[in-house]
Amino acid sequence: MEKNKPLVVCSGLTKSYGSFTALKNLDLNLERGRFIGLLGPNGSGKTTTIKLLNGLLQPTSGMITVDGAQPGCYTHSIVSYLPDRAYLSDWMKVTDVIDFFSDFYRDFDRVKAIEMFKALRISPLDRLKTLSKGTKEKVQLILTMSRRAQLYVLDEPSIGLHPSNIVGLTGVMHDLVADGNSVILVDHDTQILKEADWIVEMGPEAGAKGGHVIAEGNIPMIEENPNSQIGPFLSGKAETKLRERAKKDELFANGTVHLSTSQIHTVKPLEVDIPRGRFTVVTGVSGSGKTTMVLESLVPALEAKINGNPLPAHIRSVEADGIAHVKLIDATPVGINVRSTVATYAGVHDELRKLYAKSPDAKEHGYKASDFSYNTGSLRCPGCDGTGVVSLDVQFLPDVNIPCPDCRGSRYARAAYGVKLMNKAGENASLPELMDMDVNSAIEFCANRKTVSQKLGILKQLGLGYLTLGEETPSLSGGEAQRLKLASEIGRTQTDSVFVFDEPSIGLHPLDVRVLLGVFQALLDNGATVVVIEHDLDVIRNADFLIDMGPGGGEAGGRIVASGTPEEIQLNPDSITGQYL
């Protein structure tokens, strides 16, 4: 191994999905023995890059090598932390997981794993089922870090981690590099990015306008680079207070939601007051009781009261006069099969089918709106029956889905491409071509189609302008799923509604967090009460009211250590969160 030879080399690297190009002639030379941060807006090409790096995808053109070899042929050790690819049974104990990894991976360092679990106060006898979401993420990360490797590729390891936990994570990164390893970390948390030796920033936007490296260098270089979008956030020059917060003496002017609970799990009896019509953020370290208080107590208590059902056993009382709806906006997938797309979920596809049925080409062939349905219409692809994929039966292995060779994933037969719709600018596009556009491009094409452009405009307002209309909703990330679920809620009066979000900032660039805060403000402007479980400091700073759980995790937490405005939390010596505001 040549010490000065780059570990990762990308030359003219291009990756396309159908007509959409995610990476565009990417050139990179990443040195070994470095802590490298890779970031960019959602949909800018980061995930595609690390999947190519791991050999999970093949480039359309160009080349990528790791230590001189193509990833698929790579004989040295690449260890990756990809949360959406991790599978562990909830009924396993931590010690069972250690045993499993010891048996399965020859490069697993059992002693190192046990030491890291002890350092993070995770007992080997804990069952995964009893751990908080953030603690489970720690378990996955520890298992990854306990394998011996030359290159560690980590995808969003800060997910679910409180700022105080990030300090320990950055220590692990530096230890790995000090031992001669290389680390490529995909993340947007500025606290951890500031510790990187080198930054690669992709963009400039998401979707069709992404796929380029817009800035590269060490932290001072990135901070001074006018092309960098993360630079102002790393230097502290970016404005982080982005909304006008409620005045302290007016916080509870619209009323109060009061919750009283007895002990459950490690959470002590609680008396919780949440201001109506305000933006409340629940904070605390991993395992401090945030999920139990909000998702296992507040939400079911409100649902029971609204529906006239008995309260859960551990709920003493809930007072919420005037509240008729509680809406949990979580990260569970949208839709259950490939027939659910962004366009169908947002109610755009039916409108488009009607428009195409009125076109001269459709009238000439006698097509009606029903013919443009890829589920039952005559113009759906016969090869895949409109799903866009076909299943390969691989002996002794699970079936593998691949893009349909007939329609190349468009879901439509060739005849559908012959039916064009002309816009005000004189541009033509068929329905399958329009479904292949991202939301931003489709808005431009449909500018003179009021109903369609309004619905697409809401998706753009939600920060989803980079998604293609034909993208399968089950494949969306948790954060994307949360925002898409809000599409039907924006613009409606919500004075009788409580919206609950579970870490909606996961995976978001700081600029995307600004869009998220705009979404919250749109709900608040319509009278909603918004409650968010969150670790992101920019979200926390913009809250009207904070409830900080802790002080620690597990038995060391489970109580409200502080509540009030961000300024009050910052001055509270008992609040760990306050130390980072």
Side-chain angles (χ1 to χ4, degrees), residues 221-467:
M221 292 166 64
I222 295 295
E223 290 177 348
E224 295 172 7
N225 190 327
N227 294 322
S228 173
Q229 297 174 344
I230 197 68
F233 295 93
L234 293 174
S235 65
K237 295 178 181 178
E239 179 58 56
T240 56
K241 293 183 179 179
L242 302 171
R243 58 180 295 270
E244 185 176 346
R245 296 189 281 114
K247 296 177 181 177
K248 181 183 175 181
D249 58 355
E250 297 177 357
L251 272 172
F252 291 88
N254 299 324
T256 304
V257 174
H258 179 76
L259 176 71
S260 177
T261 72
S262 55
Q263 180 156 344
I264 176 174
H265 309 317
T266 58
V267 177
K268 316 305 185 287
L270 299 175
E271 298 293 329
V272 185
D273 285 323
I274 297 170
R276 280 191 58 182
R278 305 300 187 198
F279 177 25
T280 296
V281 175
V282 181
T283 61
V285 300
S286 300
S288 61
K290 302 182 299 297
T291 298
T292 299
M293 192 266 274
V294 177
L295 302 187
E296 295 185 45
S297 301
L298 177 64
V299 172
L302 288 174
E303 288 175 338
K305 181 177 178 61
I306 291 166
N307 296 320
N309 297 327
L311 295 174
H314 71 287
I315 304 296
R316 292 172 175 169
S317 67
V318 61
E319 299 170 19
D321 294 339
I323 297 298
H325 308 280
V326 57
K327 302 175 181 180
L328 175 59
I329 311 296
D330 60 13
T332 54
V334 177
I336 59 174
N337 60 55
V338 295
R339 293 190 183 275
S340 174
T341 63
V342 170
T344 57
Y345 192 87
V348 173
H349 193 252
D350 286 345
E351 297 296 331
L352 290 174
R353 292 194 294 115
K354 294 174 186 176
L355 288 174
Y356 274 89
K358 294 177 182 178
S359 69
D361 290 337
K363 291 179 179 179
E364 180 182 341
H365 291 88
Y367 294 137
K368 299 179 180 179
S370 58
D371 291 303
F372 292 91
S373 167
Y374 54 70
N375 292 324
T376 59
S378 65
L379 292 173
R380 73 184 187 279
C381 173
C384 62
D385 198 30
T387 63
V389 296
V390 294
S391 182
L392 297 181
D393 183 8
V394 182
Q395 194 172 13
F396 306 122
L397 291 172
D399 290 351
V400 176
N401 288 334
I402 64 169
C404 172
D406 294 335
C407 68
R408 298 185 179 181
S410 77
R411 304 168 184 262
Y412 285 99
R414 188 177 298 275
Y417 287 86
V419 182
K420 302 287 187 177
L421 187 67
M422 181 179 292
N423 66 6
K424 187 169 59 175
E427 301 167 324
N428 289 298
S430 64
L431 183 53
E433 289 169 337
L434 184 54
M435 290 289 286
D436 207 28
M437 293 182 189
D438 61 35
V439 170
N440 290 332
S441 301
I443 288 174
E444 294 178 9
F445 183 82
C446 299
N448 61 323
R449 314 287 181 177
K450 184 176 180 180
T451 303
V452 173
S453 60
Q454 283 180 341
K455 291 183 176 182
L456 292 176
I458 290 174
L459 296 182
K460 182 177 181 178
Q461 181 184 350
L462 292 169
L464 299 174
Y466 60 91
L467 296 180

